[in-house]
Amino acid sequence: MTDAPAPARRTTPTDWSSDAMQRRIAKRYAAERRFKYLGLAAVILSAAFLAFLLYVMVGNGLGGFQQTEAELTIDFPALTGGTSAAAISGENAETVVGSLDLPGVVGVAMESQYGDAGNQIFSSGAWQVVQQKLLADPQLIESEQTLWLPTSSEIDIAAKEDGPPAAERLLAMLQQKDAVQTSFNTTFLTGSDATDPAQAGIWAAFKGSLMTMFITIILAFPVGVLAALYLEEYAPKNRWTDLIEVSINNLAAVPSIIFGLLGLVVFLNWFSMPRSAAIVGGLTLALMTMPIIVIAGRNAIKSVPPSIREAALGIGASPVQVVFHHVLPLALPGILTGTIIGMARALGETAPLLLIGMRAFIPTPPDGFTDPATVLPVQIYLWSDEINRGFVEKTSAAIIVLLAFLLSMNALAIYLRNKFETRW
Amino acid sequence: MAGAGLLFLVLGLGLIAWITGRARAAAFVHGDRTNLNSLPSYHGWYVALFAIVPPLLFLAVWTAIVPALQTDMVLSAPEAASLPMDGFTRASILSEARAIAEGTQTTAFQPMANKFVPLYEAAIAHYNWIAVAATLLLLFAGGAYAFTRLKPDFRARTKVERVVMAGLLVASLIAIITTIGIVASLIFETVRFFSVVSPIEFLFGANWNPQSTVTPGGDNGFGAIPLFWGTVFIGAIIAMIVAIPLGLMSAVYLTQYARPGFRKWMKPILEILAGVPTVVYGYFAALTVAPALRDFAAMLNIPGASSESALAAGVVMGVMIIPFVSSMADDSIAAVPNSMRDGSLAMGSTKSETIKKVLVPAALPGVVGGVLLAVSRAIGETMIVVMAAGLTANMTANPFASVTTVTVQIVQLLTGDQEFDSPKTLAAFALGLVLFIVTLLLNLVALRVVKRYREAYE
């Protein structure tokens, strides 16, 4: 309360310099600042969550691109009975190398160099690395060789962080001999799913993803674009087109798992298509992606000004020619942007593919669209369930690959939008 | 592989049809196109369409029905008498024999299948011949018919364009077909489920512990109320407590306060949150958030703390939803006419008072619509809850406890090894139907709210 008399307050203008007024103003400005900082905090908190997520994934996953290797000396002439370099080069090299019993050869070499611990040091797939090296360079077999071979996943973990005590002891022993090094893990990029994390790779899942995406895009893109053209350019305004429109909008909002149920019943049970095949996954995802493309396509088509259509009609083009010669080319950049975004969503989709059986253990990359396949997100899901600690970094590394792909797709979409954006 | 070869043959012959049709039209006029009703390429298209569309339609129908015909032919052979009567083993022997005959499998796990391989090979060869002959017949008949109709004044363009229009219509009908397919498949399987388990138990029962064998009339553990509660608890309560304030305040800050440069960078960064695959969120929730929350709960001595908690799944899901809420709020705040904002500022309100008392109330229907859409998204979300929320059906309001949701149970019921007819697998479709209906209603209401609001200022 001020001590100014009440009648004065009614007749004179507000006294801005009075203490009470100043306090009220200060209070309101403080509330204003609080509100503003609250908003800033919300933005920063959301961004911080993203940063934290990326930090955790990169922190966990970078190790997955690296591999610990240990040294192994193999006396090839003694262990393989003096096979010559000529025998393992040429046409039937693989059969000959296959007959050498390399797992046994490598096992003996491990034992002679490290004793009983040999088996625990090296990955059970170490002999496959030896096989590849021999095929790449047959000369190796004619003399004693010192090769760097991948270690078992326990040693790998011990080298990167804290592993089990037994593995730590072995690692210390190796380090003393200077027989351990870290190198880029090519197996992770070229290998397939395996029970041993040291041998597991993403190539099979990646190939499966590419094949599924191929089916998705060749089905969803033409159908989506044609449907968008029909609805935007030709459709009469009646109950039927309303129904089509409503169902497209609804499909865009149906939970993805429902599409999985649809795929399971319709494609697998009614049409008895092969389980866990890229073609069924692609069909299911195409049904999911199509509405996204239709909606993006309609917006792009809508933004082409009517004057273009009228000019084309005016010089005698038919309605179909107007659309395919003029409207579609002008709308295409916008449609492509929407398509890329829809494909990015399909690429990250997991739930519907789980239901149509793409969660099997797939140790070899698929060769055809009907072969059993898995995709990258499902592979991530399967690895995330593994108890073996070595899979934690593989999972995160696969997530890094997936995110890199998605982010570059989204960046491409943004670039296209900026480059081709036209103001009429 | 025979199918792919045939497809290429049809397309190749279609190309030839196009070329001959076009050449014929060009020959009519000797280079002077003004005598021709339609451009030569339209004549080409006319012939090509007549040549390839009927065979393609035929092949589409054929591939759907031919496996049944082949099996019938195999079963009509005398050897079929030795097949076991049991439907399941019978089907698995036959499908194995088919796989070997088609070359997709090399060895039979059931010795009996070997006997049927030659029969299948014969049946496949038999029907392949029919398919090739019928396809070629249709192709040449259609192509020849179209070819004979070409004349200089033939209205090829009109005819071709009519086909194009039909194609466009068919493309847009696919949306309806898909919707019908979803509804039909869900209802079909749900009806089968309700013929075994009573709908009343399913919708109002509070005990979720599904069993493969069902005793009619009794409690079979198909009461879905705990699942509905878990879904609402995670998707509509916890996730929204995170998403609404963060999303709304982000939108307010970015539209009203932020400098253009900051907004230009921050908006796409927040949108990345919506583009991260849900399996990544799920892994993050299970690997990092859930253990941290469990330790936190253990520190506070909260009972029932689990390593798979509703809170972990809900918080991460809320973060995923932030961009949806914020972009809907962004749109509806931007749609409020500037005169209302300017009026409020001119009266001496501060910016925050304008936002709280004028902009947000005016934009409220749009914001509410956005929130409803976000809820519908959250309750249909699968991977985050599958990886972080747990499997035990639990009617609890303790956010640190493990609860399960409709989508988790769908995945759980359908990825086991049980056969397809058991009530357990059918229950997944009943859950799917409920989920479909609920999200559909939420979306319809949300769209209606948004639409009605948007018209208000026009």
Side-chain angles (χ1 to χ4, degrees):
Chain A
M1 274 283 122
T2 61
D3 46 10
R9 284 175 73 195
R10 271 206 305 274
T11 51
T12 56
T14 315
D15 181 8
W16 289 90
S17 55
S18 77
D19 280 354
M21 202 63 181
Q22 287 295 331
R23 273 201 301 277
R24 276 184 64 191
I25 291 174
K27 212 168 129 195
R28 283 172 68 197
Y29 281 174
E32 169 72 20
R33 274 195 302 277
R34 273 203 307 277
F35 190 74
K36 182 176 170 181
Y37 288 131
L38 216 58
L40 185 61
V43 175
I44 292 190
L45 200 62
S46 313
F49 189 92
L50 180 68
F52 182 54
L53 183 134
L54 293 178
Y55 168 77
V56 169
M57 289 306 151
V58 171
N60 275 332
L62 274 188
F65 295 102
Q66 291 172 343
Q67 186 179 44
T68 313
E69 291 179 331
E71 211 175 48
L72 181 67
T73 306
I74 305 177
D75 186 1
F76 281 116
L79 290 170
T80 62
T83 312
S84 70
I88 60 164
S89 50
E91 270 180 25
N92 49 3
E94 286 196 30
T95 352
V96 179
V97 172
S99 69
L100 287 180
D101 184 29
L102 281 178
V105 169
V106 174
V108 173
M110 284 176 195
E111 205 161 321
S112 63
Q113 191 170 347
Y114 296 106
D116 288 341
N119 270 327
Q120 289 154 33
I121 292 175
F122 290 97
S123 150
S124 56
W127 67 271
Q128 288 165 332
V129 179
V130 177
Q131 182 174 13
Q132 280 161 13
K133 288 190 182 194
L134 284 182
L135 288 171
D137 182 8
Q139 292 300 330
L140 292 179
I141 205 162
E142 297 198 336
S143 57
E144 190 180 81
Q145 295 295 335
T146 302
L147 302 173
W148 289 99
L149 298 178
T151 58
S152 68
S153 109
E154 284 82 23
I155 301 275
D156 197 39
I157 293 172
K160 285 167 187 161
E161 41 187 313
D162 287 341
E168 289 285 358
R169 274 198 299 279
L170 281 176
L171 180 72
M173 185 267 288
L174 288 172
Q175 275 163 343
Q176 237 170 20
K177 289 188 189 170
D178 209 15
V180 61
Q181 70 172 17
T182 312
S183 70
F184 184 73
N185 187 356
T186 47
T187 318
F188 179 68
L189 296 179
T190 58
S192 305
D193 196 4
T195 43
D196 174 12
Q199 282 175 269
I202 55 167
W203 173 240
F206 191 71
K207 194 175 174 190
S209 269
L210 289 183
M211 290 167 74
T212 310
M213 287 300 105
F214 176 75
I215 299 275
T216 305
I217 197 161
I218 60 164
L219 292 173
F221 182 69
V223 172
V225 172
L226 295 182
L229 283 177
Y230 179 77
L231 290 176
E232 205 51 50
E233 294 288 328
Y234 305 116
K237 204 71 193 125
N238 62 23
R239 267 228 220 104
W240 278 105
T241 45
D242 277 353
L243 190 64
I244 296 178
E245 216 175 311
V246 168
S247 51
I248 285 178
N249 288 333
N250 279 335
L251 281 184
V254 167
S256 63
I257 194 168
I258 302 282
F259 285 95
L261 292 173
L262 173 78
L264 177 62
V265 175
V266 174
F267 299 133
L268 297 188
N269 281 14
W270 292 355
F271 294 161
S272 36
M273 289 165 107
R275 262 180 99 78
S276 78
I279 186 159
V280 180
L283 274 166
T284 309
L285 291 182
L287 293 179
M288 222 181 83
T289 316
M290 188 207 57
I292 303 175
I293 298 180
V294 174
I295 291 170
R298 290 187 69 175
N299 287 333
I301 293 165
K302 214 181 275 172
S303 67
V304 176
S307 57
I308 300 225
R309 298 180 182 89
E310 283 153 16
L313 284 171
I315 56 166
S318 72
V320 172
Q321 284 172 327
V322 169
V323 164
F324 282 91
H325 295 177
H326 301 277
V327 176
L328 188 57
L330 288 171
L332 209 54
I335 299 178
L336 283 182
T337 314
T339 307
I340 295 173
I341 290 168
M343 292 303 288
R345 228 172 99 180
L347 180 61
E349 202 51 72
T350 320
L353 301 178
L354 288 184
L355 295 195
I356 58 160
M358 291 184 101
R359 52 173 283 141
F361 175 75
I362 309 287
T364 48
D367 283 326
F369 290 108
T370 50
D371 286 353
T374 191
V375 295
L376 212 41
V378 177
Q379 186 73 77
I380 289 168
Y381 171 65
L382 293 176
W383 281 350
S384 76
D385 256 1
E386 294 277 351
I387 304 158
N388 194 323
R389 264 182 70 193
F391 275 110
V392 172
E393 65 174 25
K394 299 290 169 199
T395 313
S396 301
I399 285 176
I400 295 175
V401 173
L402 182 65
L403 282 181
F405 237 84
L406 289 177
L407 290 184
S408 47
M409 278 171 88
N410 281 317
L412 179 69
I414 292 172
Y415 171 77
L416 282 179
R417 181 157 58 200
N418 290 342
K419 187 172 161 76
F420 291 104
E421 196 171 46
T422 329
R423 296 242 171 266
W424 301 93
Chain B
M1 283 300 100
L6 202 54
L7 201 64
F8 279 114
L9 182 69
V10 168
L11 293 180
L13 289 174
L15 182 65
I16 293 172
W18 187 84
I19 293 168
T20 47
R22 191 180 182 283
R24 162 116 169 161
F28 285 140
V29 289
H30 312 293
D32 181 11
R33 285 184 174 180
T34 48
N35 292 337
L36 215 51
N37 175 282
S38 307
L39 290 174
S41 64
Y42 281 105
H43 289 83
W45 278 117
Y46 181 70
V47 179
L49 284 174
F50 258 88
I52 64 172
V53 172
L56 288 183
L57 290 180
F58 165 74
L59 283 178
V61 177
W62 181 258
T63 40
I65 60 167
V66 79
L69 293 177
Q70 288 166 351
T71 305
D72 278 351
M73 187 168 154
V74 169
L75 289 180
S76 68
E79 288 92 329
S82 63
L83 271 174
M85 273 298 122
D86 167 30
F88 189 70
T89 30
R90 200 180 163 100
S92 82
I93 289 174
L94 288 177
S95 74
E96 206 167 350
R98 172 193 292 280
I100 297 173
E102 282 170 350
T104 51
Q105 193 177 323
T106 45
T107 48
F109 296 105
Q110 305 184 54
M112 204 165 184
N114 285 320
K115 206 162 70 178
F116 291 91
V117 172
L119 287 176
Y120 256 113
E121 276 167 353
I124 290 171
H126 176 78
Y127 281 106
N128 272 354
W129 275 117
I130 297 181
V132 171
T135 307
L136 291 181
L137 195 70
L138 279 172
L139 195 149
F140 282 113
Y145 169 74
F147 191 75
T148 54
R149 291 193 64 190
L150 298 186
K151 271 181 295 190
D153 61 349
F154 179 65
R155 294 168 180 274
R157 191 183 79 177
T158 326
K159 307 263 184 204
V160 170
E161 288 186 350
R162 204 171 290 162
V163 177
V164 171
M165 292 296 278
L168 294 183
L169 182 62
V170 169
S172 48
L173 284 180
I174 289 188
I176 291 204
I177 297 172
T178 311
T179 311
I180 294 175
I182 288 177
V183 174
S185 57
L186 290 181
I187 288 184
F188 183 74
E189 306 289 335
T190 305
V191 166
R192 283 174 67 189
F193 174 65
F194 284 149
S195 69
V196 192
V197 175
S198 105
I200 294 169
E201 179 189 348
F202 177 73
L203 289 175
F204 303 108
N207 170 26
W208 181 262
N209 181 23
Q211 305 297 326
S212 317
T213 50
V214 166
T215 47
D219 182 356
N220 296 301
F222 281 106
I225 290 283
L227 311 188
F228 299 149
W229 163 248
T231 309
V232 169
F233 189 44
I234 292 182
I237 300 178
I238 300 179
M240 290 306 131
I241 289 175
V242 175
I244 295 175
L246 284 177
L248 201 55
M249 286 309 288
S250 301
V252 164
Y253 184 81
L254 289 179
T255 51
Q256 305 298 322
Y257 289 107
R259 267 179 255 131
F262 185 75
R263 177 182 157 83
K264 197 180 145 209
W265 278 100
M266 254 0 223
K267 213 170 155 17
I269 286 178
L270 291 192
E271 271 161 13
I272 293 178
L273 282 174
V276 172
T278 54
V279 67
V280 176
Y281 279 120
Y283 185 59
F284 181 67
L287 182 80
T288 311
V289 180
L293 287 174
R294 185 198 49 203
D295 295 346
F296 177 70
M299 207 175 71
L300 297 182
N301 279 330
I302 295 173
S306 156
S307 63
E308 291 174 320
S309 63
L311 193 59
V315 165
V316 173
M317 195 187 276
V319 170
M320 181 190 87
I321 302 282
I322 290 174
F324 294 97
V325 178
S326 88
S327 70
M328 287 298 281
D330 199 327
D331 288 350
S332 35
I333 290 174
V336 177
N338 263 340
S339 53
M340 286 174 75
R341 196 174 69 139
D342 295 345
S344 166
L345 289 174
M347 296 292 286
S349 327
T350 61
K351 248 182 166 178
S352 63
E353 286 160 356
T354 308
I355 293 165
K356 279 187 274 193
K357 305 240 164 82
V358 178
L359 290 187
V360 170
L364 201 59
V367 173
V368 170
V371 168
L372 287 182
L373 282 180
V375 170
S376 122
R377 230 191 147 81
I379 66 175
E381 170 45 46
T382 311
M383 293 320 291
I384 296 177
V385 282
V386 165
M387 293 165 88
L391 294 174
T392 39
N394 205 346
M395 289 250 263
T396 173
N398 175 2
F400 292 100
S402 159
V403 299
T404 193
T405 70
V406 170
T407 47
V408 170
Q409 290 302 317
I410 293 178
V411 170
Q412 205 55 34
L413 293 171
L414 285 178
T415 50
D417 282 330
Q418 61 278 81
E419 52 187 295
F420 203 73
D421 293 350
S422 88
K424 269 175 95 168
T425 51
L426 293 176
F429 291 94
L431 290 175
L433 187 64
V434 173
L435 183 64
F436 180 74
I437 293 173
V438 170
T439 51
L440 194 68
L441 289 179
L442 277 173
N443 289 322
L444 288 178
V445 172
L447 289 178
R448 179 140 302 177
V449 168
V450 173
K451 213 172 186 177
R452 178 168 295 175
Y453 154 73
R454 278 208 176 126
E455 281 163 358
Y457 293 109
E458 272 172 354

